[in-house]
Every structure is written in structure tokens, then in C-alpha cells.
Amino acid sequence: MNKGIKCLISATLIIGTFSVLEPGKYINVMNIKAYADSDIYLKGINVTDGDPIELNSSKKTYSTDVPNSDKEVVIRVTTYNKDDKVTIDGDKNPEKQSDTKFKKTVTLEKGTNTFDVTVESEDGEKEREYTLKIDRGGKQSSDSESVFLDNINLDFGDLVFSKDITSYDVTVPEDVEELRVQAEPENNNYIVRIDGLKVDDDDKFRKEVKLSKGQNSISIDVEDDEDDENTKTYTLNVYRGKNPSQSTNNTDNVKFDNKQDEIYLDDIVLDDNDVKYTPNFNKKITSYSVDVPETSEDIIIKGEPENGSNIVKINGTTADSKNRKRVSLTKGKNVIEVQVNKDCEEDDDDYEKRIYTLTIYRGTSEGSSLTESNATNSETDNKDAGKNVQNTVASNKVNQWINVNGKWQYYDSTGKPIKGTWYLDKNYGKYYFLNQDGNMATGWLLNNGSWYYLEQNGAMVTGWKQLGSNWYCLDSQGKMRTGWFKDADGKWYYLGESGAMSVNTTVGNYKVGTDGTWIR
């Protein structure tokens, strides 16, 4: 092709995503147009679950929408020339799928996320930059026509959320007169009502619900703004005090701070580089304990005031405009005060303040001990599991992992072991299951009719897992998949009733190869 001649290159590629039982029933649609000349251009860009992106020579910024449930997506880029170099989100060496195809997995925050994509000629003389905007929450999930919540958060009580489960039993202390309920929709355009009252992004989809003693029922309705017949109701059965259906209650001894002024923070968040720690915050509880890795030399602390005009001070210094401050950490125990006060002088009659205390342990929590004979094994367990090491039960150990006679247990804010439920360790972003005896489960687990697999360190597995000669696939909720499954790369697999991936066989009218993929 002569360099001075421009050619219009048009390609129509049928791609898309629909949930059915067999791969042969899927039809995909996507139109791509691009111009090529003496300058350098990309041939195509697409995003997992995203709307089609149509490229042209005069446009450098492109947008696509994905469901709110997509916390990670794969950006795929195709070049015209196999020698072209691609940079995706600052990564100059994205994964190469072929001579002209590249991909990179990126993490999404809610709302619009912006990524830069650059294509460069082999000699570096020509370069073209593209801006890709991905709106997480801009479209409904493709796996169902029904509406869903993305998450339910409470300031008290343990709740392991799954969008397909619509009823939850939660126990809170008898002293809790109000429960803060946050119901985040899967789609930004959904309407959410908590106990009949509408909440939106301005409210952070939250509402304070008054609780009576005993059983309370809280309804959360989610509705499609464009289709008022497309609705779903989630129900919280909240027990204030002891749940009569439970033999134990791990929340009886939680103490409120009613001695300080009635001025409050709305939330406390700790940011350690890529890891965020969010204590199970309640505005009336002023003491929290958090463990961070020994490698954490500092941490960003953010205290959100309930009233935006109030002032936040961290260790006596006024926080920045976003109510944040970076604090240095010494090894071991660090005590940090987060104060919220009114914007007036202390001697003013209207002045109020409240102090929250954070005890941050960098490394092993204070009081943890290792004898010379068990130090090696325990330190290895601690490294693998990301847990604090403690081989003897102490009554003052709260909100941490405890090793009891060689078995791991998690002690809640009252110093009692959690039993018979899932626990999300927010320090490490992993789910663990505590059996009825309080001991951490490992291996295969059957819970509420679904199979899960837990590593030897107790962490719930998601994605592919090889056990012996068989491969298994666990979905984003940790549930074992069965039947036909399409992965993020568009490849089809068949997982039998046992969950094991079928290889080198025929399933119905479809043949799968030695790597388990459907041979078209």
C-alpha cells in the first residue's frame, strides 16, 4: 500500500453475550470501523461485558458501559501490524494473545473509570493515544433480565451477601436501637427503597432504621427505573438481642460510648496502598482494632464526618479537604485518635467533640506469643493464612484470629469465636468459613446446597482450581460451577455434576479437547 494513499478498512464482527445452556446457541454482534494510512492506528478495542466500541480515525476518546457487578474487566486491543507496540493503563507489556492481540485485566471503581491506551510503531517514530472510559454500573448484568442489588452493608451484624439470596437473618446487640442499612444497586439507574423510603447516591444508598427489641423485618426494594414491573425485594430479619433460633450470640457485650457529645463520624476507612480496611463501623462505638502487615510503614486514615461542616482531626492535626491524613506506623501497637468537632471555639456553648480510638497493630497483635518449640510452624501458618498468631486463648483478644490447640478460630468484638457462618476478613479481602465448633473449615465445603473449596489456609477459592488430575471452576461467590461455562476469553468448557472439567470427550453434540475447551 502506498504511504500517501488512505484506505478505509471496514470490518463487521458478530460478537455479544447471552446466557443459555449450550455454546452453539450464542450469537455475538459488534461493528468495528477503522481507518489506516501513513499514521498509526488501532484496529479494535473491546471490554468484557462492555457495549461495542466503533473506532474511527478522527476520534481518540471512547466510552463503554459494564454492569455494576463487574469489579474487574479485561481490556482487549488489536493492532494492524504485528510489530506495533501497545501500552494499556501504563503497562508497556500487556499479555499478548497473538501477534496483533493484547489484553490487560483492570480493576474498576463504581462510576466512570478512565484508562489510556497507546499504540506505537516498532521504531518509536509514530504513536497514537486513545482514552477509554468504562462506566461501571452503566448497564444491567447480561446474565439475567431481573434487577439485583450489588451489596448490602450493615454497621452491625454479619451478613455474607449474594445477589441471588433475598432473605437474611442478622443478630445485633440489644443496645442497638438503630441499624444503618446500605443497599447498593447493581445498576446506577435502579430505584432503591429501604422500608418504603427511597435512597439514592446522595444518601450513599443508606438509611438509619429504628429497631425494637426482638425480631425486626426490614424490606429493601430494588426497581428498574425504565420498567416498574421489574422489581425485587430483599428482606432482613434482624434480631435485636438474642436470636431464639441460635444457640450462641456473639454480640451481647458490645459497648456504646454514650458519655461523649452527640457528634459523630459517618465512617472510618484505612487505606494501605492497594488495600482498604473498613472496620465494622458504628458511630456510637469509639474503639476499633485493626491488624496490618509488618511491611506497612504508614497508612492513610480517613474519617468522614456525619455533618460536612464539622472538622476532623487525626492525632491532633486537622485532616485535609477530604478528611484524610497519612500516619506513620511503628512495628507493633499504634494508637491513633480520630476526633470530630464542630467548627467553633472550644469555649463556645455550641462546641461538641467526639474521639474515636484506632489501635493498629503493624505485624502480630500485641500479646501474641510463640514458644521456641512452635515458632517455626506457627510463623509459617501465619504467613500463609494472613492471620495473627496466638496459641493460647486470652479474654482480651478481640477482632482477630486465634490458634486454639492447632485450630484457627476468629474472635469477634466481644472476644467470642464466630460459629457456623462465613467471615470476610477485610484486612486480606478473603472469605473464611467457621464451623459450628468455631474452627476454620478447609477443603470441600457443602453450605446451603452449594459446594465451595477452601484452601489449607482457609481462604475461599474463586476461579480455576486444580485438585489432583481434575480442574474445577468456582464462580465469583465461591460456588462450584457445573454444566457449560464460558470464560472471560470466550472459551467454552463443560463441568460435570462433580464439578470436574470434561476433557477429550463428547458432550451431547459438542466435542471438547484435551485442554477442556469446546472444539468448534
Side-chain angles (χ1 to χ4, degrees):
M1 181 185 295
N2 293 331
K3 292 186 177 179
I5 299 175
K6 292 186 177 181
C7 291
L8 173 64
I9 299 174
S10 301
T12 303
L13 181 63
I14 298 183
I15 303 175
T17 308
F18 303 89
S19 292
V20 291
L21 294 177
E22 297 178 356
K25 296 181 181 178
Y26 277 71
I27 299 177
N28 299 325
V29 178
M30 176 170 143
N31 294 322
I32 299 177
K33 291 182 180 179
Y35 290 82
D37 61 7
S38 59
D39 291 327
I40 189 167
Y41 293 93
L42 286 177
K43 186 176 183 180
I45 301 177
N46 68 76
V47 176
T48 307
D49 286 344
D51 296 325
I53 297 173
E54 184 176 331
L55 300 182
N56 64 62
S57 62
S58 60
K59 188 177 178 182
K60 293 185 178 181
T61 300
Y62 298 89
S63 299
T64 188
D65 297 336
V66 300
N68 202 25
S69 56
D70 286 0
K71 297 179 181 179
E72 287 186 341
V73 295
V74 179
I75 299 175
R76 292 182 174 84
V77 171
T78 305
T79 64
Y80 279 107
N81 193 315
K82 66 179 182 180
D83 295 322
D84 290 345
K85 302 174 184 178
V86 169
T87 301
I88 304 175
D89 190 30
D91 185 355
K92 294 185 177 181
N93 295 292
E95 183 178 343
K96 199 168 185 178
Q97 296 181 280
S98 70
D99 287 341
T100 59
K101 293 184 178 181
F102 305 82
K103 73 174 185 178
K104 179 174 173 60
T105 301
V106 296
T107 301
L108 301 181
E109 300 291 338
K110 290 185 178 179
T112 302
N113 300 257
T114 302
F115 302 95
D116 293 324
V117 179
T118 303
V119 57
E120 181 183 359
S121 61
E122 183 182 18
D123 57 14
E125 292 184 359
K126 300 172 185 177
E127 181 179 282
R128 188 173 179 86
E129 295 181 354
Y130 296 80
T131 299
L132 179 61
K133 295 185 177 181
I134 304 175
D135 183 3
R136 176 185 163 197
K139 68 183 283 189
Q140 183 175 327
S141 289
S142 58
D143 60 354
S144 174
E145 295 181 356
S146 183
V147 295
F148 292 102
L149 289 177
D150 188 50
N151 203 3
I152 298 176
N153 294 306
L154 308 174
D155 61 350
F156 262 108
D158 293 323
L159 184 153
V160 179
F161 179 78
S162 171
K163 68 178 184 179
D164 298 310
I165 299 175
T166 57
S167 182
Y168 299 88
D169 291 337
V170 180
T171 302
V172 301
E174 190 171 342
D175 290 343
V176 177
E177 298 177 352
E178 279 189 348
L179 183 67
R180 187 176 70 182
V181 180
Q182 182 181 41
E184 302 179 56
E186 191 177 65
N187 187 297
N188 294 342
N189 296 322
Y190 291 165
I191 297 171
V192 178
R193 293 182 176 87
I194 301 176
D195 267 1
L197 295 179
K198 184 178 178 180
V199 293
D200 55 28
D201 194 46
D202 292 338
D203 310 309
K204 299 182 181 179
F205 296 100
R206 298 190 309 205
K207 182 181 184 297
E208 299 279 351
V209 180
K210 298 284 187 182
L211 299 179
S212 59
K213 291 185 178 181
Q215 185 172 359
N216 299 259
S217 180
I218 301 173
S219 63
I220 304 173
D221 299 308
V222 55
E223 172 188 318
D224 189 339
D225 190 26
E226 299 178 356
D227 180 6
D228 57 10
E229 294 184 358
N230 191 9
T231 64
K232 187 183 298 295
T233 299
Y234 295 81
T235 302
L236 303 180
N237 301 307
V238 181
Y239 295 86
R240 180 183 162 193
K242 185 177 179 64
N243 185 340
S245 66
Q246 295 179 340
S247 59
T248 61
N249 184 5
N250 294 330
T251 58
D252 289 337
N253 299 322
V254 175
K255 300 299 182 183
F256 290 104
D257 186 344
N258 295 314
K259 296 180 180 180
Q260 299 192 60
D261 296 332
E262 293 187 3
I263 181 173
Y264 303 100
L265 287 177
D266 194 45
D267 206 353
I268 294 178
V269 177
L270 291 78
D271 191 345
D272 179 16
N273 295 323
D274 295 329
V275 180
K276 285 185 170 58
Y277 303 90
T278 53
N280 197 21
F281 184 79
N282 182 285
K283 65 182 183 181
K284 292 186 177 181
I285 294 179
T286 56
S287 181
Y288 297 90
S289 177
V290 177
D291 292 352
V292 301
E294 189 171 338
T295 55
S296 300
E297 297 180 352
D298 55 37
I299 195 165
I300 296 174
I301 298 175
K302 179 179 181 180
E304 296 184 21
E306 195 170 59
N307 186 321
S309 65
N310 291 337
I311 295 174
V312 174
K313 295 181 179 180
I314 299 173
N315 275 353
T317 302
T318 301
D320 64 15
S321 59
K322 295 184 179 180
N323 301 305
R324 301 172 307 179
K325 185 178 187 297
R326 185 179 291 275
V327 177
S328 297
L329 299 177
T330 60
K331 290 184 179 180
K333 182 178 180 181
N334 299 261
V335 179
I336 299 167
E337 290 189 350
V338 182
Q339 176 178 311
V340 56
N341 59 264
K342 285 190 174 181
D343 187 11
C344 57
E345 299 296 330
E346 288 194 41
D347 56 1
D348 193 296
D349 291 339
D350 293 329
Y351 182 82
E352 291 181 336
K353 75 174 182 180
R354 178 173 290 259
I355 296 175
Y356 296 80
T357 302
L358 301 177
T359 302
I360 301 178
Y361 293 95
R362 177 183 164 192
T364 304
S365 297
E366 183 183 67
S368 300
S369 59
L370 295 172
T371 64
E372 185 176 354
S373 61
N374 66 21
T376 301
N377 291 334
S378 296
E379 286 174 349
T380 301
D381 291 342
N382 185 44
K383 179 180 179 181
D384 292 340
K387 303 178 182 68
N388 298 322
V389 179
Q390 175 71 16
N391 290 311
T392 57
V393 179
S395 60
N396 65 339
K397 305 310 290 182
V398 297
N399 295 324
Q400 64 181 270
W401 291 98
I402 306 292
N403 193 306
V404 181
N405 298 322
K407 301 289 186 180
W408 285 106
Q409 298 185 352
Y410 190 86
Y411 280 47
D412 64 12
S413 58
T414 70
K416 297 180 180 179
I418 295 175
K419 297 182 179 180
T421 190
W422 290 99
Y423 170 68
L424 171 61
D425 190 329
K426 294 182 179 180
N427 287 348
Y428 302 97
K430 300 289 186 180
Y431 277 100
Y432 301 82
F433 190 85
L434 289 310
N435 292 317
Q436 292 295 337
D437 58 4
N439 293 334
M440 180 188 75
T442 59
W444 285 109
L445 169 72
L446 179 62
N447 181 249
N448 290 331
S450 297
W451 283 99
Y452 302 80
Y453 188 79
L454 309 170
E455 299 281 18
Q456 289 305 302
N457 63 17
M460 184 186 77
V461 174
T462 60
W464 288 101
K465 177 69 178 179
Q466 184 177 19
L467 298 172
S469 60
N470 292 323
W471 280 94
Y472 300 83
C473 187
L474 298 307
D475 67 15
S476 60
Q477 302 293 323
K479 297 178 182 178
M480 183 187 75
R481 294 182 184 273
T482 58
W484 284 106
F485 164 64
K486 183 181 180 183
D487 70 2
D489 294 327
K491 296 180 180 179
W492 282 96
Y493 301 84
Y494 185 79
L495 309 168
E497 291 185 6
S498 68
M501 181 184 74
S502 296
V503 296
N504 200 26
T505 187
T506 299
V507 181
N509 297 322
Y510 303 95
K511 185 177 180 180
V512 294
T514 55
D515 62 352
T517 59
W518 169 42
I519 301 175
R520 299 175 185 260

